[in-house]
Amino acid sequence: MTTITAEEWNDVLFGAADLETGPTDGRTAHRIPAGLRRQLDGDPMFEWVESCAAGVRMRFRTSADRIALTVASTTLATNGVHPPIALVVRQGDDRSLVPLGDPTVVEIDAKRRVTGIRPAAPETVSVAVRPEQPVEIRLPHNARVELVSLTADGIIEPAPPSGRRWIHYGSSISQGMDAVAADRTWPAAAASALDWNLRDLSLAGNAQLDGFVARTIRDAAADIITLKIGINTVNADSFRERTFRPALHAFLDTVREGHPTTPVVLITAIACPIHENSPGPVVARPDGMAAAAIRSIEKDDGALTLARTREIIADAVASRGDDALTCIDGRELLGAHEADRLYDRLHPDQLGLDLIAERFVAMMR
């Protein structure tokens, strides 16, 4: 019998920056290194989305025909409702979902304030596998998971992923918190179709051109890098035109320090009618729909709209004289005529995510 615990998780876990010891002495995967993520300590939204395991997966071979995995999962619930969370188990062409039915639930209100916590103990799931064939278990993209132990009645050895090493940086549209499973976010689906090895740095609400994320990308191995930029900078109203342009260049400069010739693709925002020509911030209406805030100020030429971010990004790419830097207009991935796929006028539904993945794959091929 073989059991994986503690630091041994590093041997079979891929797509993470580091591991943090949790309350049950298990390990929680983080996507930004500890020393860098501390630069935004105290921001609960960032801390939550960064610790959700988008793109993180176990890969191993075993001589056993069944494994037992013990995890402690945590999810957020608004008005008592939380999304279903599950592991995705893939082996060859076979795919199955393993629900995690007993998570710790953190209750939050509409303003993301914690109103209560319903704790739960770790749970153990049993999964049938085929001996000697690589097993991939994708962790939930929409939950925090503390890995306690992996046990098999036989050997367990790492099975590192192959394929082109791809780093993707993006917003909630890339992290896909509402995707039906961890392999149905658009970057995960595209990586599977292209047989690429994904490192997912999608950070819902937090694609804000932060220097510590640029340094994470700079220091990570990559054969291709994609940066999806625009929607968060507008819907958080976090930049004006004066600051957005140099911040974009500084982000690219940092990435290039570690990847001087690696292909980098900037992807502008997909179509989002509420912000095409209206500045942020985005606000949630009582009916659950998103809308641009009504700004009671005179015409503000420095305020960013999505249309303007696309122009600035395209200008920046053209001005750098970088043959390995290209730009994709996000409206080619999801256009204005498909705005009905934005279920809340901001985030794509599952069909919308599928369309983005399909079109991205076609462009990359």
Side-chain angles (χ1 to χ4, degrees), residues 35 41 50 78 81 139 146 149 164 203 217 239-240 244 255 259 264 280-281 293 332 340 348 353 360:
D41 270 355
E50 184 278 333
T78 304
V81 178
L139 302 186
E146 183 181 345
S149 65
R164 182 173 293 183
L203 298 163
I217 298 170
F239 286 93
R240 296 179 63 78
F244 179 70
V255 169
H259 302 281
V264 175
E332 295 180 36
D340 59 336
L353 295 174
F360 177 82

Side-chain angles (χ1 to χ4, degrees), residues 133-303:
Q133 186 172 357
V135 181
E136 181 176 272
I137 301 179
R138 301 193 182 196
L139 302 186
H141 59 299
N142 57 355
R144 179 183 298 154
V145 176
E146 183 181 345
L147 301 167
V148 179
S149 65
L150 171 66
T151 300
D153 188 14
I155 63 167
I156 299 174
E157 59 183 15
S162 59
R164 182 173 293 183
R165 296 167 298 181
W166 172 30
I167 295 176
H168 178 69
Y169 171 61
S171 67
S172 59
I173 294 168
S174 296
Q175 189 164 354
M177 291 294 217
D178 298 307
V180 298
D183 60 345
R184 295 288 300 280
T185 69
W186 81 256
S192 293
L194 293 164
D195 194 25
W196 286 3
N197 176 8
L198 173 64
R199 172 82 180 271
D200 194 342
L201 295 179
S202 305
L203 298 163
N206 282 275
Q208 299 289 354
L209 296 174
D210 292 305
F212 62 84
V213 180
R215 291 190 288 279
T216 299
I217 298 170
R218 177 196 65 190
D219 297 339
D223 298 308
I224 184 167
I225 298 166
T226 54
L227 310 171
K228 196 169 186 308
I229 294 168
I231 188 64
N232 282 167
T233 61
V234 173
N235 63 28
D237 196 26
S238 51
F239 286 93
R240 296 179 63 78
E241 183 167 333
R242 163 64 181 81
T243 54
F244 179 70
R245 189 185 300 268
L248 175 62
H249 278 291
F251 196 96
L252 291 170
D253 288 344
T254 300
V255 169
R256 277 289 181 236
E257 289 173 4
H259 302 281
T261 60
T262 302
V264 175
V265 182
L266 278 172
I267 307 173
T268 67
I270 63 171
C272 182
I274 64 171
H275 276 311
E276 288 298 327
N277 298 294
S278 298
V282 69
V283 295
R285 299 301 189 198
D287 61 359
M289 294 292 107
I294 299 173
R295 296 169 65 122
S296 56
I297 56 177
E298 295 181 7
K299 187 176 186 299
D300 186 354
D301 290 332

Side-chain angles (χ1 to χ4, degrees), residues 107 132 139 152 211 265 304 363:
E107 299 275 4
E132 308 305 338
L139 302 186
V265 182
L304 286 177
M363 290 178 183

Side-chain angles (χ1 to χ4, degrees), residues 93-133:
D93 293 331
D94 294 338
R95 171 190 182 272
S96 61
L97 289 181
V98 179
L100 297 178
D102 192 21
T104 290
V105 178
V106 179
E107 299 275 4
I108 59 173
D109 62 18
K111 295 184 178 180
R112 299 197 183 103
R113 295 173 299 199
V114 175
T115 59
I117 298 177
R118 288 182 275 141
E123 61 182 305
T124 299
V125 295
S126 179
V127 180
V129 296
R130 291 193 298 276
E132 308 305 338
Q133 186 172 357

